[in-house]
Amino acid sequence: MARRERITRTPVGLALSMMNRLAANPMLDRLGLRQPLERTAYHGTRAGFRTLAYAGREFKRVNNWLPRKQLPNRIPGDLFDLSLTDDQQMITDMLRRLAEDRIRPAASDADETGAIPAIVTTATSELGLGLYAVPEAFGGVAEHQSPLTSVLIAEQLAWGDMGIATALLSPFSVAQAITRWGTGEQQSRYLPAFCDDTPPIATIAIDEPIPLFDPNSLQTTASETATGYTLNGLKSSVALGASADLLLIAAELHGRPRLFIVEAGATGIQTKPDPGMGLRASAPVQLRLDNVELSSDALLGDDDFDYQAFLDCGSLLRCGLAIGTSQAVLDYVIPYCNEREAFGEPISHRQSVAFMISNLAIETDSMRMLTWRAASRLEQGLSTHRETSLARLLCNEKAMEIGTNGVQLLGGHGFVKEHPVERWYRDLRSVSTLSGGLHA
């Protein structure tokens, strides 16, 4: 099959990359130019990404597809260093502004309505998150595997709202999975669309409505047919499942879990709302698969597909969501307890309150350090399952504790919707219940 030569980064991408690096220069602080230049980079990004135009939403098969592109691992440094790169710092700064200016003000309504306001989706798509998951050859800007950057993105978005962040990260996660494991044909067909100014809505369906669900033991099955595969089963808590253009569905094939790429409109798929305690803004649904027929190229990747590594990547992203929301709780309760008075003094002067707040900070940073360590090892191509499991266990346990104590510190105010901690409590419960939670 004919193949095209590698496509280089567009002039827009090169210009924005240079602007990002310039904005991270410490000399700007001395000259007082950081904020003006960051605003220029922000608006330049929004304008520049609008000029990108790639494959349509039909995901048509391509005849002249590029060879498979696998992002290289990051070369480790000589010293242990927790400082962010210039690009990572720029990304976190931009997303923190997005979370503060757009996501958090819209979070309460999004939780009530079960839908993300258009102003949030528009602002996010204009930033082009999908570009950071896609190699340059397919229109993105990713130069190497960067799980740590993914965790940082999840942290900043979840600081605004975990439900909205879950929905915004679903297409990003799909693009990452196709980038890492997709065949050359699959990458050429799907990845360019994630770099468009209106990227596709995509999501991943793993969870099943089974007590003590184990993602390594799936009830959803895939059977081989003369023309491809047939899927049968029931999925739950599928973010954006009703509106998705593209789904990655986990199913058992020949005794082991695999992922299948399913495009919207496939016959045999039925959805119904699956409202839960938290993450309501992500519009979760149940997905019923009744003899869904797929072509032979719907199976993600080749024989080198690693389902456990896929689960580990998802665990790190959920850890990032937990860290971001936990940080939001901490940032909210400190000024509240300093301003709230009882018996003539701020309640933060009470030793029990001060100790509880201190524990929130300790556990949040502990979650962050374990997660960053696992993500850093994954970037370098080192074994990471043990480290990921430790981070996942700590986040599962401490996210619930932080959500509970956040409500407790506000007393009666923590129980009412006037304050966001009750929503954060509900969202943080999802960390220890979905995708196997504490039991898998």
Side-chain angles (χ1 to χ4, degrees), residues 71-287:
L71 295 174
N73 297 316
R74 184 189 293 272
I75 300 175
D78 296 330
L79 301 175
F80 179 70
D81 187 4
L82 290 176
S83 59
L84 305 182
T85 66
D86 293 345
D87 286 346
Q88 288 172 336
Q89 189 63 59
M90 176 60 67
I91 292 170
T92 55
D93 290 344
M94 290 170 60
L95 291 181
R96 174 53 69 96
R97 287 197 296 272
L98 174 68
E100 188 172 2
D101 297 341
R102 299 294 189 209
I103 296 179
R104 185 165 289 189
S108 180
D109 289 342
D111 182 73
E112 291 291 334
T113 62
I116 303 176
I119 190 172
V120 174
T121 55
T122 300
T124 308
S125 64
E126 288 175 343
L127 287 178
L129 280 182
L131 293 172
Y132 298 102
V134 178
E136 295 180 43
F138 301 102
V141 297
E143 298 175 347
H144 51 74
Q145 291 193 49
S146 189
L148 181 55
T149 301
S150 301
V151 169
L152 294 172
I153 291 172
E155 281 189 38
Q156 298 307 316
L157 293 178
W159 186 87
D161 181 70
M162 185 187 283
I164 292 177
T166 298
L168 296 179
L169 287 173
S170 291
F172 182 78
S173 301
V174 172
Q176 283 189 318
I178 296 176
T179 293
R180 181 165 181 180
W181 289 290
T183 63
E185 195 277 336
Q186 290 169 342
Q187 292 178 339
S188 297
R189 189 194 310 180
Y190 297 113
L191 290 183
F194 289 95
C195 304
D196 200 354
D197 56 344
T198 54
I201 299 175
T203 190
I204 299 175
I206 298 177
D207 281 29
E208 298 174 348
I210 299 171
L212 304 181
F213 168 69
D214 181 358
N216 286 292
S217 180
L218 301 172
Q219 300 299 310
T220 303
T221 60
S223 304
E224 283 197 78
T225 65
T227 58
Y229 304 94
T230 300
L231 298 186
N232 286 280
L234 181 64
K235 296 295 184 181
S236 60
S237 302
V238 182
L240 304 177
S243 57
D245 302 304
L246 197 66
L247 300 105
L248 281 186
I249 300 178
E252 195 89 359
L253 177 66
H254 301 317
R256 63 192 187 106
R258 292 298 300 265
L259 292 179
F260 292 85
I261 304 175
V262 182
E263 298 180 15
T267 58
I269 298 180
Q270 298 179 349
T271 64
K272 73 172 184 178
D274 192 20
M277 178 179 179
L279 303 183
R280 295 177 179 174
S282 65
V285 301
Q286 279 195 353
L287 204 67

Side-chain angles (χ1 to χ4, degrees), residues 329 332-333 336-337 340 347 405-415 419-421:
V329 173
Y332 194 87
V333 300
Y336 178 90
C337 293
R340 181 72 172 177
I347 61 173
N405 289 341
V407 171
Q408 196 66 32
L409 284 167
L410 266 68
H413 284 168
F415 191 72
H419 297 271
V421 288

